């Protein structure tokens, strides 16, 4: 009887852990006309002529692309598998971590001049942009972001096993962050973006962990 009880408790805990962040519980900023959830897959038709960018180089600010997110505090690791039928210059899909309209990070795949690029835009009042150009198109890519203290480390992988860091960027710590899935089509008429196996894993606060270690 005791074994059955503990098995049931373990199953209940496991179920609640797995249900702690589901796609159905997330919310929209700039909801597109068409989107769907199929199990652990999220698909959206990216709204035409939309993007996230602030001021630098181009001289304009836009904040109107679809972003499906949940709110998280503290430190965490977020990961997702991304694919899309990119068509037009600057078509993009990926993760976004956002504090507000002046402070956010978006990262994923961006289609530029006929090439696939691993892309990261970091915005603190003004936006910057870094890319890693790929020699040939890829069917999908995994993007992982790890928020620790006042920084976010961004990684990419083509097999979900070996990850390579592509960016380390500052992001204000000790404040809530909107984290989730974004797509943009600044120049184009939109495209379909697909996200699979979206997960967020809580990480114990590093400063508190170190304090506990020093004050046993």
């Amino acid at each position: 009887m005791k074994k059955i009880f503990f098995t049931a408790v373990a199953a209940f805990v496991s179920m609640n852990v797995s249900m702690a962040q589901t796609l159905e519980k997330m919310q929209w900023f700039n909801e597109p006309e068409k989107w769907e959830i199929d199990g652990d897959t999220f698909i959206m038709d990216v709204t035409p002529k939309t993007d996230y960018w602030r001021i630098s180089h181009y001289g304009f600010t836009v904040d109107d692309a679809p972003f499906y997110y949940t709110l998280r505090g503290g430190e965490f690791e977020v990961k997702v598998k991304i694919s899309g039928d990119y068509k037009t210059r600057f078509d993009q899909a990926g993760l976004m971590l956002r504090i507000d309209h002046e402070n956010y990070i978006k990262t994923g795949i961006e289609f530029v001049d006929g090439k696939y690029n691993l892309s990261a835009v970091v915005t603190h009042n003004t936006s910057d942009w870094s890319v890693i150009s790929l020699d040939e198109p890829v069917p999908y890519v995994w993007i992982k972001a790890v928020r620790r203290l006042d920084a976010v480390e961004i990684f990419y992988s083509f097999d979900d096993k070996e990850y390579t860091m592509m960016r380390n960027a500052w992001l204000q710590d000790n404040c809530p962050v909107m984290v989730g899935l974004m797509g943009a089509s600044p120049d184009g008429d939109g495209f379909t973006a697909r996200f699979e196996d979206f997960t967020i894993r809580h990480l114990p606060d590093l400063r508190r962990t170190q304090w506990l270690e020093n004050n046993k």
Side-chain angles (χ1 to χ4, degrees):
M1 175 64 73
K2 185 180 289 186
K3 182 178 180 181
I4 294 174
F5 173 78
F6 281 115
T7 300
V9 170
F12 177 80
V13 170
S14 175
M15 179 183 68
N16 277 273
V17 168
S18 65
M19 292 176 62
Q21 180 54 64
T22 63
L23 290 168
E24 288 79 6
K25 293 181 180 179
M26 295 167 66
Q27 55 188 312
W28 276 109
F29 181 66
N30 301 320
E31 181 177 357
E33 289 188 6
K34 183 178 178 182
W35 59 276
E36 64 176 297
I37 296 170
D38 183 8
D40 62 359
T41 299
F42 178 80
I43 303 168
M44 67 169 157
D45 286 354
V46 178
T47 309
K49 306 298 188 295
T50 59
D51 199 7
Y52 291 100
W53 186 266
R54 280 189 62 81
I55 306 169
S56 60
H57 186 70
Y58 302 108
F60 55 73
T61 295
V62 281
D63 201 56
D64 56 4
F67 175 41
Y68 193 59
Y69 72 93
T70 185
L71 193 63
R72 289 285 169 138
E75 302 179 1
F76 56 82
E77 175 188 294
V78 58
K79 183 174 70 170
V80 70
K81 180 182 178 183
I82 305 162
S83 57
D85 59 348
Y86 316 103
K87 302 172 183 175
T88 308
R89 185 180 62 162
F90 302 140
D91 279 356
Q92 59 196 264
L95 291 172
M96 186 154 77
L97 286 72
R98 177 184 172 101
I99 295 174
D100 56 31
H101 68 289
E102 293 184 338
N103 297 275
Y104 58 82
I105 297 170
K106 61 173 182 173
T107 180
I109 284 282
E110 187 159 359
F111 187 65
V112 184
D113 298 329
K115 284 193 172 184
Y116 284 46
N117 295 265
L118 299 164
S119 171
V121 169
V122 178
T123 299
H124 302 301
N125 187 45
T126 57
S127 296
D128 71 32
W129 182 30
S130 59
V131 296
I132 300 173
S133 184
L134 302 179
D135 292 332
E136 57 186 36
V138 293
Y140 43 74
V141 65
W142 280 265
I143 296 292
K144 177 170 69 176
V146 181
R147 185 192 192 196
R148 278 292 198 188
L149 301 176
D150 62 350
V152 173
E153 293 180 321
I154 303 169
F155 302 83
Y156 68 91
S157 174
F158 301 116
D159 59 8
D160 195 26
K161 296 177 182 177
E162 181 179 346
Y163 279 84
T164 302
M165 189 169 75
M166 58 184 283
R167 188 75 185 264
N168 184 316
W170 181 83
L171 189 69
Q172 178 64 55
D173 57 347
N174 296 317
C175 66
V177 174
M178 293 174 278
V179 54
L181 312 170
M182 63 77 57
S185 184
D187 284 8
D189 295 324
F191 67 99
T192 301
R194 183 184 185 93
F195 306 86
E196 300 174 73
D197 302 324
F198 175 70
T199 59
I200 304 177
R201 181 168 65 91
H202 169 73
L203 301 175
D205 184 272
L206 192 56
R207 291 189 183 96
R208 183 174 184 274
T209 301
Q210 291 171 342
W211 184 92
L212 290 172
E213 182 65 27
N214 295 330
N215 292 271
K216 290 182 177 179

